[in-house]
Amino acid sequence: MKIKDGYLLRTVAGSNIVVPVGEGTMDFSGVITLNEVGAFLWRVLENGADKAELLAKLTAEYDVDDATASNDIDAFLKNLKEANLLDE
Amino acid sequence: MEKLKVADLNVLIKYKYETMIKQAEAYKSDFEKHNIFIDIPDSEIERLQGENPHLTLNDVEYIFTGAAFYEELLNFNGFLLHSSGVCVDGYAYLFSADPGTGKSTHTSLWQKYLGADRAHIINDDKPALRIMDGEIFVYGTPWSGKTDQNLNMRMPLGAIVFLEQSKTNFIHPISVQEAIPLILQQTIRPREASAMGKLLDVLDKILSETPVYRLGCDMSREAVELSYNTIRRDEKK
């Protein structure tokens, strides 16, 4: 899975902001805010990753058990798919 | 080619119609090296006028030289905000909203109630904001939309206020998350990743240091008192 082309993630005054650029602007013209975990997962997904890799990286970076991490990841991926931001 | 100084940048620019001649006069300068070069060929101006028959060649030159400047401004830690900018006691306050909402009306009321010797309109349509030596400045530019209200000056940014018409007056600060889409709607939104990255870098600095508000106003004296007393950054007397 990989984040679709055409989106830029940047930290602006402490907030993690995603804006569409290039091709992305045709689908969507708003702004998305990600929390810290979301921003972390997003960055991993920018380079492409499967669920196992996301789980491994998240639990390595944050002090969280596998079950919670897995739920958080599923919820995040669901949001991305619904917003049409993910290439599977 | 004329030499102008706008937003502390050396601009080498070609223009020949009356609005630019009049508006640019206050910005004339001299320099060896330019930072920005604007030369729209006559054929291009004519072509654009053909595509926009409601505009004259003069209008086209004015609009598109401005567009060229503001696009370049992104490369110099700056951007434009569609807003009416009023300067009072050492700070510039920008009132932003969609056209027709009443930003110019509101700032003209500031002039009326605070006095035109104390409140100056720095640019009534699109002031330039620029980070210079670690500080955020608002600049007047020759390009100020339909009115010719602009001043060749710079002032530190005091606050950004997003304005809406409302039966009752209110003002409250808003978060970075709320402010960013509002700002993007009132500037030239870059399509391309590296230009957008530059804009977000500038916003990172500005939103880290500048309060942003939402103001609902009924265009009365009370509305002015509410906004002024809430957002003023000079020392309280």
Side-chain angles (χ1 to χ4, degrees), chain A residues 9-34:
Chain A
L9 169 65
R10 278 297 237 269
T11 305
V12 176
S15 283
N16 299 306
I17 302 289
V18 172
V19 290
V21 288
E23 302 151 19
T25 54
M26 293 191 298
D27 299 325
F28 158 68
S29 61
V31 162
I32 303 166
T33 310
L34 300 177

PDB file of all heavy atoms in Angstrom, chain A residues 9-34:
ATOM      1  N   LEU A   9       2.977  16.316   2.861  1.00  0.00           N
ATOM      2  CA  LEU A   9       2.824  16.399   4.317  1.00  0.00           C
ATOM      3  C   LEU A   9       3.892  17.330   4.866  1.00  0.00           C
ATOM      4  O   LEU A   9       5.071  17.175   4.571  1.00  0.00           O
ATOM      5  CB  LEU A   9       2.992  15.006   4.943  1.00  0.00           C
ATOM      6  CG  LEU A   9       3.121  14.954   6.477  1.00  0.00           C
ATOM      7  CD1 LEU A   9       1.860  15.430   7.160  1.00  0.00           C
ATOM      8  CD2 LEU A   9       3.458  13.533   6.927  1.00  0.00           C
ATOM      9  N   ARG A  10       3.459  18.305   5.664  1.00  0.00           N
ATOM     10  CA  ARG A  10       4.421  19.242   6.246  1.00  0.00           C
ATOM     11  C   ARG A  10       3.963  19.582   7.660  1.00  0.00           C
ATOM     12  O   ARG A  10       2.767  19.636   7.918  1.00  0.00           O
ATOM     13  CB  ARG A  10       4.443  20.548   5.463  1.00  0.00           C
ATOM     14  CG  ARG A  10       5.279  20.550   4.225  1.00  0.00           C
ATOM     15  CD  ARG A  10       6.728  20.334   4.537  1.00  0.00           C
ATOM     16  NE  ARG A  10       7.556  21.393   4.048  1.00  0.00           N
ATOM     17  CZ  ARG A  10       8.135  21.429   2.851  1.00  0.00           C
ATOM     18  NH1 ARG A  10       7.982  20.442   2.029  1.00  0.00           N
ATOM     19  NH2 ARG A  10       8.858  22.456   2.484  1.00  0.00           N
ATOM     20  N   THR A  11       4.921  19.909   8.495  1.00  0.00           N
ATOM     21  CA  THR A  11       4.556  20.382   9.834  1.00  0.00           C
ATOM     22  C   THR A  11       4.513  21.903   9.797  1.00  0.00           C
ATOM     23  O   THR A  11       5.495  22.547   9.423  1.00  0.00           O
ATOM     24  CB  THR A  11       5.590  19.900  10.866  1.00  0.00           C
ATOM     25  OG1 THR A  11       5.683  18.489  10.762  1.00  0.00           O
ATOM     26  CG2 THR A  11       5.160  20.272  12.276  1.00  0.00           C
ATOM     27  N   VAL A  12       3.364  22.451  10.162  1.00  0.00           N
ATOM     28  CA  VAL A  12       3.185  23.903  10.126  1.00  0.00           C
ATOM     29  C   VAL A  12       2.746  24.347  11.507  1.00  0.00           C
ATOM     30  O   VAL A  12       1.674  23.947  11.972  1.00  0.00           O
ATOM     31  CB  VAL A  12       2.125  24.304   9.078  1.00  0.00           C
ATOM     32  CG1 VAL A  12       1.874  25.807   9.107  1.00  0.00           C
ATOM     33  CG2 VAL A  12       2.558  23.883   7.679  1.00  0.00           C
ATOM     34  N   ALA A  13       3.587  25.138  12.164  1.00  0.00           N
ATOM     35  CA  ALA A  13       3.284  25.645  13.507  1.00  0.00           C
ATOM     36  C   ALA A  13       2.801  24.515  14.417  1.00  0.00           C
ATOM     37  O   ALA A  13       1.804  24.640  15.116  1.00  0.00           O
ATOM     38  CB  ALA A  13       2.251  26.770  13.443  1.00  0.00           C
ATOM     39  N   GLY A  14       3.488  23.386  14.357  1.00  0.00           N
ATOM     40  CA  GLY A  14       3.180  22.279  15.255  1.00  0.00           C
ATOM     41  C   GLY A  14       2.075  21.340  14.786  1.00  0.00           C
ATOM     42  O   GLY A  14       1.833  20.311  15.421  1.00  0.00           O
ATOM     43  N   SER A  15       1.392  21.664  13.701  1.00  0.00           N
ATOM     44  CA  SER A  15       0.346  20.773  13.184  1.00  0.00           C
ATOM     45  C   SER A  15       0.848  20.034  11.951  1.00  0.00           C
ATOM     46  O   SER A  15       1.530  20.609  11.115  1.00  0.00           O
ATOM     47  CB  SER A  15      -0.891  21.569  12.781  1.00  0.00           C
ATOM     48  OG  SER A  15      -1.622  21.945  13.905  1.00  0.00           O
ATOM     49  N   ASN A  16       0.463  18.746  11.840  1.00  0.00           N
ATOM     50  CA  ASN A  16       0.843  17.974  10.655  1.00  0.00           C
ATOM     51  C   ASN A  16      -0.227  18.145   9.599  1.00  0.00           C
ATOM     52  O   ASN A  16      -1.359  17.703   9.764  1.00  0.00           O
ATOM     53  CB  ASN A  16       0.957  16.488  11.012  1.00  0.00           C
ATOM     54  CG  ASN A  16       2.010  16.258  12.061  1.00  0.00           C
ATOM     55  OD1 ASN A  16       3.151  16.666  11.906  1.00  0.00           O
ATOM     56  ND2 ASN A  16       1.617  15.628  13.160  1.00  0.00           N
ATOM     57  N   ILE A  17       0.132  18.805   8.534  1.00  0.00           N
ATOM     58  CA  ILE A  17      -0.835  19.207   7.521  1.00  0.00           C
ATOM     59  C   ILE A  17      -0.540  18.488   6.211  1.00  0.00           C
ATOM     60  O   ILE A  17       0.607  18.424   5.781  1.00  0.00           O
ATOM     61  CB  ILE A  17      -0.702  20.731   7.256  1.00  0.00           C
ATOM     62  CG1 ILE A  17      -0.907  21.519   8.531  1.00  0.00           C
ATOM     63  CG2 ILE A  17      -1.645  21.205   6.186  1.00  0.00           C
ATOM     64  CD1 ILE A  17      -2.313  21.530   9.009  1.00  0.00           C
ATOM     65  N   VAL A  18      -1.607  17.963   5.576  1.00  0.00           N
ATOM     66  CA  VAL A  18      -1.467  17.384   4.245  1.00  0.00           C
ATOM     67  C   VAL A  18      -2.224  18.263   3.260  1.00  0.00           C
ATOM     68  O   VAL A  18      -3.397  18.581   3.479  1.00  0.00           O
ATOM     69  CB  VAL A  18      -2.060  15.957   4.206  1.00  0.00           C
ATOM     70  CG1 VAL A  18      -2.092  15.432   2.777  1.00  0.00           C
ATOM     71  CG2 VAL A  18      -1.256  15.034   5.096  1.00  0.00           C
ATOM     72  N   VAL A  19      -1.548  18.665   2.191  1.00  0.00           N
ATOM     73  CA  VAL A  19      -2.224  19.430   1.139  1.00  0.00           C
ATOM     74  C   VAL A  19      -2.037  18.727  -0.193  1.00  0.00           C
ATOM     75  O   VAL A  19      -1.004  18.121  -0.444  1.00  0.00           O
ATOM     76  CB  VAL A  19      -1.698  20.880   1.010  1.00  0.00           C
ATOM     77  CG1 VAL A  19      -2.096  21.712   2.200  1.00  0.00           C
ATOM     78  CG2 VAL A  19      -0.211  20.919   0.814  1.00  0.00           C
ATOM     79  N   PRO A  20      -3.036  18.817  -1.065  1.00  0.00           N
ATOM     80  CA  PRO A  20      -2.846  18.239  -2.399  1.00  0.00           C
ATOM     81  C   PRO A  20      -1.987  19.158  -3.258  1.00  0.00           C
ATOM     82  O   PRO A  20      -2.028  20.377  -3.098  1.00  0.00           O
ATOM     83  CB  PRO A  20      -4.279  18.172  -2.955  1.00  0.00           C
ATOM     84  CG  PRO A  20      -5.036  19.190  -2.207  1.00  0.00           C
ATOM     85  CD  PRO A  20      -4.379  19.389  -0.881  1.00  0.00           C
ATOM     86  N   VAL A  21      -1.186  18.557  -4.121  1.00  0.00           N
ATOM     87  CA  VAL A  21      -0.403  19.307  -5.104  1.00  0.00           C
ATOM     88  C   VAL A  21      -0.478  18.530  -6.415  1.00  0.00           C
ATOM     89  O   VAL A  21      -0.809  17.363  -6.425  1.00  0.00           O
ATOM     90  CB  VAL A  21       1.091  19.458  -4.703  1.00  0.00           C
ATOM     91  CG1 VAL A  21       1.244  20.423  -3.546  1.00  0.00           C
ATOM     92  CG2 VAL A  21       1.708  18.114  -4.381  1.00  0.00           C
ATOM     93  N   GLY A  22      -0.189  19.185  -7.497  1.00  0.00           N
ATOM     94  CA  GLY A  22      -0.139  18.487  -8.795  1.00  0.00           C
ATOM     95  C   GLY A  22      -1.428  17.744  -9.065  1.00  0.00           C
ATOM     96  O   GLY A  22      -2.515  18.329  -9.031  1.00  0.00           O
ATOM     97  N   GLU A  23      -1.321  16.441  -9.293  1.00  0.00           N
ATOM     98  CA  GLU A  23      -2.521  15.655  -9.634  1.00  0.00           C
ATOM     99  C   GLU A  23      -3.537  15.642  -8.512  1.00  0.00           C
ATOM    100  O   GLU A  23      -4.716  15.507  -8.756  1.00  0.00           O
ATOM    101  CB  GLU A  23      -2.154  14.193  -9.906  1.00  0.00           C
ATOM    102  CG  GLU A  23      -1.158  13.988 -10.991  1.00  0.00           C
ATOM    103  CD  GLU A  23      -0.328  12.719 -10.766  1.00  0.00           C
ATOM    104  OE1 GLU A  23      -0.763  11.840  -9.997  1.00  0.00           O
ATOM    105  OE2 GLU A  23       0.748  12.638 -11.363  1.00  0.00           O
ATOM    106  N   GLY A  24      -3.060  15.705  -7.280  1.00  0.00           N
ATOM    107  CA  GLY A  24      -3.973  15.626  -6.138  1.00  0.00           C
ATOM    108  C   GLY A  24      -5.022  16.727  -6.157  1.00  0.00           C
ATOM    109  O   GLY A  24      -6.130  16.539  -5.680  1.00  0.00           O
ATOM    110  N   THR A  25      -4.675  17.889  -6.723  1.00  0.00           N
ATOM    111  CA  THR A  25      -5.600  19.017  -6.680  1.00  0.00           C
ATOM    112  C   THR A  25      -6.866  18.759  -7.494  1.00  0.00           C
ATOM    113  O   THR A  25      -7.856  19.450  -7.332  1.00  0.00           O
ATOM    114  CB  THR A  25      -4.963  20.322  -7.182  1.00  0.00           C
ATOM    115  OG1 THR A  25      -4.428  20.094  -8.486  1.00  0.00           O
ATOM    116  CG2 THR A  25      -3.861  20.776  -6.269  1.00  0.00           C
ATOM    117  N   MET A  26      -6.816  17.776  -8.366  1.00  0.00           N
ATOM    118  CA  MET A  26      -8.024  17.514  -9.142  1.00  0.00           C
ATOM    119  C   MET A  26      -9.078  16.790  -8.317  1.00  0.00           C
ATOM    120  O   MET A  26     -10.256  16.884  -8.583  1.00  0.00           O
ATOM    121  CB  MET A  26      -7.678  16.685 -10.378  1.00  0.00           C
ATOM    122  CG  MET A  26      -6.826  17.463 -11.330  1.00  0.00           C
ATOM    123  SD  MET A  26      -6.639  16.670 -12.932  1.00  0.00           S
ATOM    124  CE  MET A  26      -5.826  15.169 -12.496  1.00  0.00           C
ATOM    125  N   ASP A  27      -8.621  16.045  -7.295  1.00  0.00           N
ATOM    126  CA  ASP A  27      -9.575  15.254  -6.525  1.00  0.00           C
ATOM    127  C   ASP A  27     -10.132  16.004  -5.329  1.00  0.00           C
ATOM    128  O   ASP A  27     -11.187  15.684  -4.840  1.00  0.00           O
ATOM    129  CB  ASP A  27      -8.903  13.991  -5.984  1.00  0.00           C
ATOM    130  CG  ASP A  27      -8.377  13.110  -7.110  1.00  0.00           C
ATOM    131  OD1 ASP A  27      -9.042  13.064  -8.154  1.00  0.00           O
ATOM    132  OD2 ASP A  27      -7.314  12.514  -6.941  1.00  0.00           O
ATOM    133  N   PHE A  28      -9.388  16.969  -4.859  1.00  0.00           N
ATOM    134  CA  PHE A  28      -9.673  17.427  -3.491  1.00  0.00           C
ATOM    135  C   PHE A  28      -8.941  18.744  -3.286  1.00  0.00           C
ATOM    136  O   PHE A  28      -7.812  18.900  -3.713  1.00  0.00           O
ATOM    137  CB  PHE A  28      -9.140  16.326  -2.572  1.00  0.00           C
ATOM    138  CG  PHE A  28      -8.843  16.742  -1.165  1.00  0.00           C
ATOM    139  CD1 PHE A  28      -9.862  17.102  -0.303  1.00  0.00           C
ATOM    140  CD2 PHE A  28      -7.544  16.751  -0.694  1.00  0.00           C
ATOM    141  CE1 PHE A  28      -9.594  17.457   1.002  1.00  0.00           C
ATOM    142  CE2 PHE A  28      -7.264  17.104   0.606  1.00  0.00           C
ATOM    143  CZ  PHE A  28      -8.287  17.461   1.460  1.00  0.00           C
ATOM    144  N   SER A  29      -9.611  19.712  -2.688  1.00  0.00           N
ATOM    145  CA  SER A  29      -8.918  21.000  -2.594  1.00  0.00           C
ATOM    146  C   SER A  29      -8.787  21.489  -1.161  1.00  0.00           C
ATOM    147  O   SER A  29      -8.460  22.624  -0.919  1.00  0.00           O
ATOM    148  CB  SER A  29      -9.662  22.039  -3.415  1.00  0.00           C
ATOM    149  OG  SER A  29     -10.965  22.170  -2.887  1.00  0.00           O
ATOM    150  N   GLY A  30      -9.053  20.632  -0.189  1.00  0.00           N
ATOM    151  CA  GLY A  30      -8.981  21.070   1.201  1.00  0.00           C
ATOM    152  C   GLY A  30      -7.637  20.799   1.815  1.00  0.00           C
ATOM    153  O   GLY A  30      -6.614  20.763   1.157  1.00  0.00           O
ATOM    154  N   VAL A  31      -7.668  20.618   3.107  1.00  0.00           N
ATOM    155  CA  VAL A  31      -6.451  20.409   3.887  1.00  0.00           C
ATOM    156  C   VAL A  31      -6.777  19.331   4.909  1.00  0.00           C
ATOM    157  O   VAL A  31      -7.861  19.323   5.464  1.00  0.00           O
ATOM    158  CB  VAL A  31      -6.076  21.734   4.597  1.00  0.00           C
ATOM    159  CG1 VAL A  31      -5.118  21.485   5.733  1.00  0.00           C
ATOM    160  CG2 VAL A  31      -5.465  22.708   3.614  1.00  0.00           C
ATOM    161  N   ILE A  32      -5.870  18.408   5.112  1.00  0.00           N
ATOM    162  CA  ILE A  32      -6.080  17.359   6.109  1.00  0.00           C
ATOM    163  C   ILE A  32      -5.107  17.564   7.252  1.00  0.00           C
ATOM    164  O   ILE A  32      -3.943  17.888   7.012  1.00  0.00           O
ATOM    165  CB  ILE A  32      -5.820  15.970   5.495  1.00  0.00           C
ATOM    166  CG1 ILE A  32      -6.714  15.734   4.290  1.00  0.00           C
ATOM    167  CG2 ILE A  32      -6.021  14.875   6.529  1.00  0.00           C
ATOM    168  CD1 ILE A  32      -6.255  14.552   3.467  1.00  0.00           C
ATOM    169  N   THR A  33      -5.594  17.359   8.481  1.00  0.00           N
ATOM    170  CA  THR A  33      -4.683  17.423   9.622  1.00  0.00           C
ATOM    171  C   THR A  33      -4.502  16.018  10.162  1.00  0.00           C
ATOM    172  O   THR A  33      -5.474  15.284  10.331  1.00  0.00           O
ATOM    173  CB  THR A  33      -5.294  18.296  10.730  1.00  0.00           C
ATOM    174  OG1 THR A  33      -5.715  19.514  10.150  1.00  0.00           O
ATOM    175  CG2 THR A  33      -4.276  18.587  11.804  1.00  0.00           C
ATOM    176  N   LEU A  34      -3.261  15.644  10.426  1.00  0.00           N
ATOM    177  CA  LEU A  34      -2.994  14.331  11.003  1.00  0.00           C
ATOM    178  C   LEU A  34      -2.459  14.491  12.413  1.00  0.00           C
ATOM    179  O   LEU A  34      -1.707  15.426  12.685  1.00  0.00           O
ATOM    180  CB  LEU A  34      -1.928  13.603  10.167  1.00  0.00           C
ATOM    181  CG  LEU A  34      -2.243  13.341   8.700  1.00  0.00           C
ATOM    182  CD1 LEU A  34      -1.060  12.674   8.014  1.00  0.00           C
ATOM    183  CD2 LEU A  34      -3.489  12.487   8.562  1.00  0.00           C
TER     184      LEU A  34
END
